[in-house]
Amino acid sequence: SESPYAFECFHRAVHGPRFDYYTFGVTFAGALVDTANCRLVGADVVADIEKKLAAKHNVVFLSNHQSEGDPHALDIILSARAGINPIARDVVFMAGDRVRDDATVAPFSMGRNLLTVYSKKHIASPPELRATKMSHNRKTLKEAETLFKAGGACLWLAPSGGRDRRDPASGKVIPAAFDPDAIEMMRLTARRAAANGGRPTHFYPMAMATYRLLPPPEAVGGALGEKRVVTYGPLHL
């Protein structure tokens, strides 16, 4: 069999020539979304973001994270409710190792622009790979800085470092707490790029209600190959 796909620090979406992984992912996820009832709150902010990107400014979304399908969900909601598919298509997602290493998810990840990192939760496991993983993360931040210098970059970051879970007591899906260090690291990267001739970077908070698309397992962590159950319904942003 073929070897697993090797994701670089900055992975560009694969649109061909053998297979269009972007279209594959959006089509697959779109069949699970009730687009007629999706809700986008803040269309005026989206319009402002579109203008900033056109002026070669950079944009970073600081978002919660509810589903492995969030990259495609963002694409579907913005395209269905705001008609700005080019922005949704070109977003660069900060992606952890699980969505690259899991054989079920990797084909969907191949269809998105990714800055690949190792999260705090997994960087020391196993201990002998910690230095290698930290070096990878530093290289990824340099890639982000390069994007900010060029201008017109749109990045999506989940500062929580993981997906939201349902609270057993209330039954509600609770947004996971943001890690201030993750936000500060991205802010410093953007500031360093601007100080070296780069373009300005604007940060926007984002709230995603996408849990129903592909809910995470109740337990955090665990081995690769988790059970996945998809459901049909509307998504909100």
Side-chain angles (χ1 to χ4, degrees):
S1 61
E2 294 185 8
S3 299
Y5 184 84
F7 288 88
E8 302 291 341
C9 292
F10 177 34
H11 166 78
R12 296 182 183 274
V14 178
H15 293 277
R18 293 175 58 188
F19 190 75
D20 187 341
Y21 286 91
Y22 169 80
T23 300
F24 160 71
V26 173
T27 302
F28 184 96
L32 301 170
V33 180
D34 178 5
T35 54
N37 290 302
C38 286
R39 183 172 52 174
L40 171 64
V41 178
D44 56 327
V45 179
V46 173
D48 179 61
I49 289 170
E50 189 174 24
K51 292 177 182 177
K52 284 183 167 61
L53 292 172
K56 301 296 284 185
H57 286 205
N58 304 301
V59 167
V60 176
F61 295 126
L62 301 173
S63 177
N64 68 316
H65 179 27
Q66 295 198 337
S67 164
E68 285 178 331
D70 279 348
H72 300 298
L74 178 62
D75 198 306
I76 291 164
I77 296 170
L78 289 180
S79 299
R81 311 307 296 173
I84 54 163
N85 186 61
I87 292 179
R89 180 194 63 210
D90 296 337
V91 172
V92 180
F93 296 87
M94 298 293 292
D97 50 307
R98 296 183 71 86
V99 298
R100 311 189 311 266
D101 296 343
D102 191 302
T104 301
V105 184
F108 296 93
S109 299
M110 289 170 65
R112 309 304 316 198
N113 298 314
L114 305 176
L115 284 170
T116 64
V117 294
Y118 291 94
S119 70
K120 280 185 175 181
K121 298 175 182 177
H122 302 130
I123 201 164
S125 177
E128 61 269 22
L129 291 181
R130 185 174 188 274
T132 300
K133 291 181 177 182
M134 290 183 67
S135 176
H136 179 99
N137 284 359
R138 286 192 293 270
K139 291 177 182 177
T140 296
L141 286 175
K142 289 298 293 183
E143 292 284 0
E145 185 176 340
T146 299
L147 290 174
F148 289 148
K149 284 181 181 178
C154 185
L155 271 62
W156 181 96
L157 168 67
S160 65
R163 289 166 286 178
D164 302 341
R165 257 62 180 193
R166 191 178 296 280
D167 177 51
S170 66
K172 295 181 178 180
V173 179
I174 307 298
F178 281 9
D179 178 3
D181 290 342
I183 299 173
E184 184 65 7
M185 187 174 297
M186 188 56 65
R187 188 185 71 84
L188 289 174
T189 300
R191 189 171 71 177
R192 188 163 53 244
N196 288 281
R199 305 293 292 166
T201 299
H202 309 271
F203 291 80
Y204 290 85
M206 174 181 284
M208 301 187 74
T210 57
Y211 186 89
R212 72 171 72 222
L213 177 64
L214 185 58
E218 294 182 6
V220 178
L224 295 177
E226 66 188 52
K227 180 180 179 180
R228 294 175 172 88
V229 179
V230 298
T231 57
Y232 177 83
L235 307 174
H236 311 297
L237 176 67

